Amino acid sequence: MSGPDKSRIPLFATMQRIPGGLMLIPLILGAVFGTFAPGALGIGSFTTALFEDSALPLIALLIFATGTQVSTRTGGPILAHAGTVLVMKSLIPATLVVLIGLGVGLDGLLGVSLLALLASMDNSNGGLWLAFSGQYGDERDRGAYVASAVNDGPFLTLLFLGASGLGDIPFLALLGAIVPFLLGVLVGNVDAEWRKVVEPVPNIVIPFFAFSLGTGIDLGDIVTGGVTGLALGLIIAPFTGFLVYLGYRYVLRRGSMSGIGFAAGTTAGNAIATPAVVAAADPRFEEYVGTATAQVAASALVTAIIAPLLAAYALKRTGALRQPDAPAAPGPAEEAVKGAADGTADGRADGTADRTEPQREREQERQREQEQRA
């Protein structure tokens, strides 16, 4: 029998090693085609449908798949953490960007358009959060991934632009942006099997819709937008991460573990698609799409590197940074399991809590016999 198939060239693994690489690399490849061979993929049929016109339907599929992962059975502490992350990472920064936009207009500041500012600030990299909180946090932190499920996609950007009057976003466009997500939530909670079925969807669709988006970008936009995007990421990571840190420290009262909030100071890789979605709803943003997409892509890359470093530094300062192989402090679920194994309710090491009176007497008798033998 032959062994498992081995990759001759580890393309997928290489893309995953680069922060946001699953989206960034196909995006750049698409931009190469869009710049130097703009008509090469326009031959029609399935080729054009997949490589040039697939962005919006594949993004919609991704939003549906994301919705299926949201459980309505999430407990109170997890909802509190998710709500805090959502408010501090998405709603407050988006409000600040809208206030800036009301003052300076759609052109934004220092070469960064309002579209790029909003698309890079009002979301977070859920995969990075899961990886970091899985290593250094507990089940409450991991459960806060729900916030990324909500802010992952163009809905919040469309909502803030439409509500502020900065964008002429029709109500049906807003509704159309959220329906796939809500449908995913419904399907995932009615039939949990669907969660397993669509779990691989991100790894499948992201490279293809990223390439499709890239075909509409000129490499000149990537060069000019990439530099300002790097600067944008250097601002977003500490600023939005600090806001989440404040939420962890003063709202959730997490004490020395509050530094984990800095890990939320990221731009989601999926946000690279947001400028194109906004322009489809309001053509006035069309002129900003190329540069804004490049800036958001650069911000996604920079924040994916800086945010976990800031979080690790903050946790180290408070002595809360565990070594990767060190066991995590047991949470309520772990304590309950340990308690059941010990015959106790709270899992205490002495095994005496909530035992019956005869059990305690026998334990004491055994202890006296051991002392006498000694």
Side-chain angles (χ1 to χ4, degrees):
M1 293 180 65
S2 61
D5 292 337
K6 294 183 179 180
S7 300
R8 292 183 175 86
I9 302 176
L11 298 176
F12 185 76
T14 302
M15 292 166 67
Q16 285 195 312
R17 290 192 192 102
I18 301 172
L22 202 61
M23 186 145 190
L24 289 174
I25 293 176
L27 183 81
I28 294 173
L29 290 176
V32 171
F33 271 88
T35 303
F36 299 108
L41 300 174
I43 60 177
S45 190
F46 299 124
T47 300
T48 302
L50 178 60
F51 294 109
E52 278 195 352
D53 302 333
S54 64
L56 290 182
L58 291 180
I59 292 169
L61 177 58
L62 177 64
I63 293 173
F64 171 83
T66 302
T68 63
Q69 307 304 310
V70 177
S71 173
T72 57
R73 298 180 180 179
T74 304
I78 291 178
L79 286 177
H81 280 66
T84 299
V85 172
L86 183 64
V87 170
M88 305 305 284
K89 176 59 182 76
S90 297
L91 302 187
I92 291 178
T95 300
L96 294 176
V97 171
V98 164
L99 292 176
I100 292 173
L102 292 174
V104 301
L106 301 184
D107 290 336
L109 295 169
L110 303 175
V112 181
S113 66
L114 181 70
L115 178 59
L117 277 173
L118 198 54
S120 56
M121 277 223 190
D122 65 5
N123 53 80
S124 56
N125 187 327
L128 187 147
W129 175 265
L130 274 178
F132 193 88
S133 62
Q135 184 171 351
Y136 299 111
D138 59 24
E139 68 275 6
R140 296 170 297 176
D141 304 311
R142 292 188 290 273
Y145 170 79
V146 174
S148 296
V150 174
N151 68 24
D152 191 8
F155 176 71
L156 286 182
T157 301
L158 290 169
L159 179 63
F160 274 89
L161 287 174
S164 65
L166 290 168
D168 185 16
I169 311 296
F171 172 75
L172 287 180
L174 283 173
L175 184 63
I178 195 65
V179 164
F181 177 79
L182 295 178
L183 185 60
V185 174
L186 176 63
V187 171
N189 283 275
V190 170
D191 183 3
E193 188 68 23
W194 267 98
R195 292 180 185 169
K196 301 176 183 178
V197 171
V198 301
E199 193 172 356
V201 162
N203 287 341
I204 296 172
V205 303
I206 287 176
F208 288 96
F209 78 65
F211 185 93
S212 177
L213 288 173
T215 59
I217 299 174
D218 190 279
L219 280 178
D221 292 332
I222 291 183
V223 173
T224 57
V227 176
T228 50
L230 293 175
L232 182 63
L234 290 173
I235 295 172
I236 288 175
F239 174 64
T240 61
F242 181 68
L243 290 178
V244 182
Y245 164 80
L246 293 178
Y248 257 69
R249 184 172 180 85
Y250 297 107
V251 178
L252 299 174
R253 304 287 184 178
R254 289 294 300 276
S256 62
M257 289 299 300
S258 300
I260 202 171
F262 278 101
T266 53
T267 297
N270 297 342
I272 299 173
T274 297
V277 176
V278 172
D282 185 349
R284 291 186 303 157
F285 289 95
E286 187 66 44
E287 63 179 292
Y288 303 105
V289 169
T291 303
T293 301
Q295 289 169 338
V296 174
S299 178
L301 176 63
V302 171
T303 56
I305 297 172
I306 294 178
L309 295 177
L310 291 174
Y313 175 76
L315 290 175
K316 186 176 181 180
R317 285 286 302 270
T318 59
L321 186 67
R322 300 191 310 272
Q323 293 301 319
D325 56 349
E334 288 86 348
E335 289 180 350
V337 172
K338 184 177 184 297
D342 291 343
T344 69
D346 60 0
R348 284 169 49 184
D350 59 10
T352 59
D354 289 347
R355 287 183 176 176
T356 63
E357 189 66 22
Q359 287 176 319
R360 284 195 293 270
E361 290 177 355
R362 287 194 296 271
E363 180 68 23
Q364 293 169 359
E365 182 66 26
R366 282 196 297 269
Q367 291 176 355
R368 284 196 295 270
E369 290 175 357
Q370 291 173 356
E371 291 172 356
Q372 289 174 358
R373 287 196 296 269

